[in-house]
């Protein structure tokens, strides 16, 4: 089983829609969780950290369920500029490095 | 501020040739990572350095791959001899402190081995 698993999509949604991505991780001892965004042929960039109590950053909401080892990202009022691949990230067994999911592709259409 | 700088951005080479990828981390960052990205496998961690010392190289696929960090501002990833299955985008990333904080990626080196 891969350490971080995501639905690859693609998710095709119209502008203004709400879309949710899910991710599961295998290491129950993981302590750090993130969502990164990667535009086509670009490097990944941090979108937001994920905290135990859940957190929001504008139109983006992240949730963590430790019991189910599940992370989610909700995007409200989707914009064309949200089109990208969203990578779920969890710290590795060693704690030093970060393990990335393969990503979920989002396409927001006019 | 300069971000993580990688070179070359693109490399096309023939099977059997040596490939050297270079990385300059963000000044003041103590941790450096090499990742490889392919469509099939996504982003895979190859090796991690902290304070210029290799901490975990369990992701290095085989002896053909080697990485060095001779000082805090420079790292190399070498493949010798290269094979077509090594074709991928190789990312270098750095982080300010061990185990803490955002990972900043370079723009990547796109390698094609014919």
């Amino acid at each position: 089983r891969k350490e971080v698993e995501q639905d690859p999509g693609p998710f095709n949604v119209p502008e203004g829609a709400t879309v949710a991505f899910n991710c599961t991780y295998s290491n129950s001892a993981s302590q750090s969780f993130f969502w990164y965004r990667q535009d086509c042929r670009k490097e990944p960039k941090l979108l937001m950290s994920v905290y135990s109590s859940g957190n929001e950053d504008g139109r983006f909401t992240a949730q963590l369920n430790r019991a189910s080892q599940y992370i989610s990202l909700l995007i409200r009022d989707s914009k064309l500029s949200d089109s990208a691949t969203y990578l779920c990230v969890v710290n590795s067994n060693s704690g030093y490095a970060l393990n990335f999911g393969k990503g979920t592709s989002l396409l927001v259409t006019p | 501020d300069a971000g993580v700088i990688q070179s070359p951005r693109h490399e096309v080479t023939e099977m059997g040739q040596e490939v050297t990828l270079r990385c300059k981390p963000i000044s003041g960052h103590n941790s450096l990572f090499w990742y490889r990205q392919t469509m099939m496998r996504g982003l895979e961690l190859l090796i991690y350095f902290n304070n210029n010392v290799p901490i975990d190289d369990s992701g290095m696929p085989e002896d053909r791959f080697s990485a060095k960090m001779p000082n805090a501002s420079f790292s190399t990833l070498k493949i010798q001899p290269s094979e077509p299955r090594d074709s991928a985008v190789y990312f270098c990333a750095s982080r300010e402190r061990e185990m803490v904080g955002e990972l900043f990626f370079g723009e990547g080196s796109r390698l094609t081995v014919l």
Side-chain angles (χ1 to χ4, degrees):
Chain A
R1 181 184 172 190
K2 281 193 67 68
E3 295 200 38
V4 183
E5 298 207 47
Q6 298 181 248
D7 179 347
F11 284 64
N12 293 338
V13 302
E15 268 186 292
T18 295
V19 61
F21 306 138
N22 302 320
C23 160
T24 57
Y25 61 95
S26 61
N27 182 8
S28 60
S30 294
Q31 296 294 321
S32 303
F33 309 92
F34 309 90
W35 284 100
Y36 275 66
R37 170 190 168 133
Q38 186 173 24
D39 292 313
C40 186
R41 301 181 76 85
K42 298 286 190 180
E43 73 274 23
K45 293 183 179 177
L46 178 66
L47 177 66
M48 61 193 300
S49 301
V50 185
Y51 302 118
S52 296
S53 54
N55 49 296
E56 261 188 39
D57 183 1
R59 297 181 293 108
F60 298 84
T61 300
Q63 296 279 352
L64 170 64
N65 183 323
R66 285 188 184 273
S68 302
Q69 294 178 212
Y70 168 98
I71 305 163
S72 66
L73 176 68
L74 183 78
I75 305 175
R76 292 182 300 278
D77 189 22
S78 299
K79 311 292 186 191
L80 297 177
S81 57
D82 294 334
S83 298
T85 296
Y86 291 84
L87 303 165
C88 178
V89 187
V90 178
N91 68 293
S92 67
N93 287 338
S94 68
Y96 300 116
L98 299 180
N99 287 329
F100 286 74
K102 291 176 70 173
T104 298
S105 175
L106 172 65
L107 178 63
V108 182
T109 55
Chain B
D1 288 342
V4 176
I5 299 172
Q6 291 187 245
S7 65
R9 292 291 311 282
H10 301 274
E11 173 105 3
V12 180
T13 191
E14 293 190 344
M15 183 173 65
Q17 297 298 305
E18 178 179 295
V19 173
T20 300
L21 308 178
R22 298 172 180 80
C23 175
K24 176 179 167 56
I26 293 172
S27 177
H29 281 197
N30 293 335
S31 299
L32 184 140
F33 305 79
W34 282 100
Y35 283 87
R36 175 172 69 175
Q37 187 173 38
T38 61
M39 288 290 291
M40 286 290 291
R41 301 175 69 90
L43 265 168
E44 301 173 280
L45 176 67
L46 299 178
I47 188 169
Y48 156 72
F49 293 86
N50 191 59
N51 291 325
N52 314 338
V53 176
I55 303 298
D56 183 358
D57 65 354
S58 59
M60 296 285 262
E62 48 198 273
D63 291 346
R64 297 184 298 107
F65 284 69
S66 62
K68 293 182 180 179
M69 192 165 185
N71 57 61
S73 59
F74 184 66
S75 177
T76 59
L77 178 67
K78 187 174 291 188
I79 309 172
Q80 167 64 20
S82 58
E83 296 182 3
R85 60 190 166 126
D86 301 331
S87 298
V89 180
Y90 290 80
F91 286 105
C92 176
S94 70
R95 186 162 65 184
E96 187 173 3
R97 289 189 293 155
E98 189 175 28
M99 298 179 69
V100 176
E102 179 180 352
L103 214 53
F104 291 88
F105 283 81
E107 293 182 304
S109 293
R110 185 172 296 273
L111 173 64
T112 302
V113 183
L114 303 174

